[in-house]
Amino acid sequence: MAPNTAHTALWPAPLASGAVDATVHVPGSKSVTNRALVLAALASEPGWLRRPLRSRDTLLMAGALRAMGVEIEETVSSSSTVAGGPNGSGEAWRVLPTGLHGPATVDVGNAGTVMRFLPPVAALADGPIRFDGDPRSYERPLHGVIDALRALGARIDDDGRGALPLTVHGGGALDGGPVSIDASSSSQFVSALLLSGPRFNQGVEVRHTGATLPSLPHIRMTVDMLRAVGAQVDTPESGGEPNVWRVTPGAVLGRDLTIEPDLSNAQPFLAAALVTGGKVLIPDWPARTTQPGDRLREIFTEMGGSCELTEYGLEFTGSGAVHGIDVDLGEVGELTPGIAAVAALADSPSTLRGVAHLRLHETDRLAALTKEINELGGDVTETADGLHIRPRALHGGIFHTYEDHRMATAGAIIGLAVDGVQIENVATTAKTLPDFPDLWTGMLGQ
């Protein structure tokens, strides 16, 4: 078989000629878009998503829901109430929840949100729904969702793998009720059950039994979005038991939702300001958000920058110096590749902790970062739950991405300061950040 040239092509990462000074419109949040699609599909009335992200992961989610019987109409409006977003002048999706049914086959690609959020939805469908995806998707943990759904009354065939491929035999309804899971490997196990919980006959009570729970902000995002569509949710933060979330059964309302910019995808552009001692404005940065990427304001300030949240968005300015950091990233693990890239260019060592679960992401991100930075002359060692990074003078070379979008953007950050870095398969950034190469060269004025 001939190699896929998109996967083997090398992209010369642009070297910054000086301090960047740019405004970068970051497309909408993948995490918000895909949660909003699921909730709209489960609603009792039509809903709108304004400025949705159009990327591989979100198009996979929309395609999967369409396969299960949901109508999603895509429109582009020049109306001032919708226009001006970064994702195609005022794009909007109208979701018509016309009833879930099989038989259907769902392609999850390598999207964690699709492979984990949709089996509970499929349990509510009439008929069998088969889930399949990229080879890497077979290696990603899914047992938390599969075991929980079985305990709640669903019938699932996975040949005992606890992973893809699998078939959910939907019965049109699900009893629901209390269930215990270990979500140590992914907070998406909790979110998956909560999102469909209002439609279960008894709702759902999810009890996390593991020792750790990564990415709590993503669970808070799920809870906030559930409440916005009329669901009643009890959480540990609202006075409930620790590690227990309860969703009361009830109708899900259709809403008109404008999607926030993806703050985690703003990371490479903020890093560019930090690394080059420049300035970048990210328009429409929300004053209040559950997105993990909001932590970048604090982390990158500690690493040598400064930021100001204005009526236009977030203005981030580098000082010309990049400092190392000792930080627990357990709640914001997806930021690790970009922080590691900046740390490799810093003036002092860094320790990134609390991210053992990254070994189970799109790739083993800890092993991948260690190998790729070290092959450029770096000094990175893996720890039990993270990375220790000692800055060294780096040199050019090929930066492999393992079909992982955040590895590609991490390599681009290093390439700003190191001549001759070539990113293998930069096209993988389309998973969550379409047109990244154009956005990147545009920021640099190239």
Side-chain angles (χ1 to χ4, degrees):
M1 180 183 293
N4 184 328
T5 53
H7 286 213
T8 56
L10 298 178
W11 180 66
L15 185 71
S17 57
V20 303
D21 186 358
T23 295
V24 181
H25 287 271
V26 176
S29 163
K30 175 202 74 172
S31 298
V32 175
T33 299
N34 274 357
R35 282 165 173 78
L37 279 168
V38 171
L39 290 171
L42 295 171
S44 56
E45 57 197 344
W48 285 92
L49 275 64
R50 314 280 183 183
R51 301 186 191 175
L53 174 66
R54 284 185 61 88
S55 72
R56 186 181 186 218
D57 279 17
T58 61
L59 293 174
L60 283 167
M61 180 68 86
L65 291 169
R66 285 188 177 113
M68 294 161 63
V70 179
E71 290 186 28
I72 302 173
E73 301 172 351
E74 301 183 30
T75 63
V76 176
S77 168
S78 58
S79 157
S80 61
T81 60
V82 183
N87 311 319
S89 62
E91 185 166 354
W93 292 351
R94 187 167 186 248
V95 182
L96 302 162
T98 50
L100 301 163
H101 57 79
T105 297
V106 165
D107 175 14
V108 309
N110 190 20
T113 52
V114 183
M115 71 180 75
R116 292 168 181 149
F117 292 177
L118 288 190
V121 177
L124 297 167
D126 283 308
I129 310 291
R130 176 174 169 78
F131 290 83
D132 208 338
D134 297 353
R136 170 63 182 172
S137 71
Y138 292 12
E139 303 171 22
R140 299 186 68 182
L142 206 55
H143 54 85
V145 174
I146 295 169
D147 294 347
L149 285 174
R150 284 189 177 128
L152 295 172
R155 186 159 73 89
I156 301 174
D157 292 337
D158 69 337
D159 293 331
R161 286 183 306 272
L164 292 169
L166 59 86
T167 299
V168 179
H169 296 275
L174 196 66
D175 288 341
V179 66
S180 295
I181 62 170
D182 182 350
S184 300
S185 58
S186 177
S187 69
Q188 289 176 352
F189 294 168
V190 175
S191 287
L193 296 167
L194 298 183
L195 285 167
S196 292
R199 290 284 307 274
F200 298 165
N201 294 339
Q202 302 172 40
V204 72
E205 176 187 290
V206 181
R207 184 178 299 271
H208 166 58
T209 59
T212 61
L213 184 59
S215 305
L216 263 174
H218 277 128
I219 296 179
R220 295 187 192 113
M221 176 187 293
T222 298
V223 169
D224 275 11
M225 293 184 69
L226 276 162
R227 288 173 173 160
V229 296
Q232 182 180 327
V233 189
D234 295 322
T235 70
E237 291 88 350
S238 61
E241 290 181 64
N243 291 322
V244 177
W245 293 262
R246 292 185 184 89
V247 180
T248 302
V252 175
L253 306 177
R255 287 290 193 236
D256 190 323
L257 177 68
T258 299
I259 307 296
E260 297 174 355
D262 192 314
L263 306 188
S264 294
N265 277 342
Q267 180 180 35
F269 306 103
L270 300 180
L274 187 56
V275 167
T276 68
K279 181 171 65 177
V280 167
L281 172 67
I282 308 291
D284 303 317
W285 192 288
R288 177 193 172 277
T289 181
T290 51
Q291 287 193 61
D294 199 42
R295 273 282 303 279
L296 288 167
R297 292 192 289 159
E298 168 197 335
I299 293 168
F300 278 172
T301 295
E302 188 173 340
M303 295 186 82
S306 61
C307 63
E308 182 181 6
L309 194 57
T310 72
E311 60 183 305
Y312 305 108
L314 182 73
E315 188 172 282
F316 187 85
T317 307
S319 63
V322 180
H323 309 309
I325 191 171
D326 186 328
V327 61
D328 188 327
L329 299 175
E331 292 200 352
V332 293
E334 66 196 49
L335 304 180
T336 303
I339 293 169
V342 173
L345 303 171
D347 57 17
S348 58
S350 295
T351 300
L352 313 183
R353 294 178 283 105
V355 287
H357 61 285
L358 294 192
R359 295 186 170 100
L360 301 169
H361 273 218
E362 279 81 345
T363 188
D364 178 343
R365 284 179 169 164
L366 300 184
L369 287 164
T370 300
K371 178 178 181 293
E372 297 309 314
I373 294 174
N374 287 351
E375 288 193 353
L376 299 182
D379 185 359
V380 182
T381 54
E382 281 192 63
T383 65
D385 72 337
L387 299 172
H388 187 61
I389 302 167
R390 288 166 289 273
R392 295 285 185 270
L394 303 181
H395 55 72
I398 296 174
F399 196 93
H400 299 93
T401 59
Y402 310 87
E403 297 188 34
D404 184 337
H405 54 132
R406 300 204 193 280
M407 287 296 296
T409 53
I413 293 167
I414 293 173
L416 290 171
V418 179
D419 197 9
V421 174
Q422 298 183 83
I423 311 296
E424 171 240 10
N425 186 19
V426 75
T428 195
T429 52
K431 178 178 168 67
T432 63
L433 187 52
D435 306 320
F436 169 74
D438 290 342
L439 286 168
W440 196 245
T441 53
M443 171 192 70
L444 295 168
Q446 297 181 6

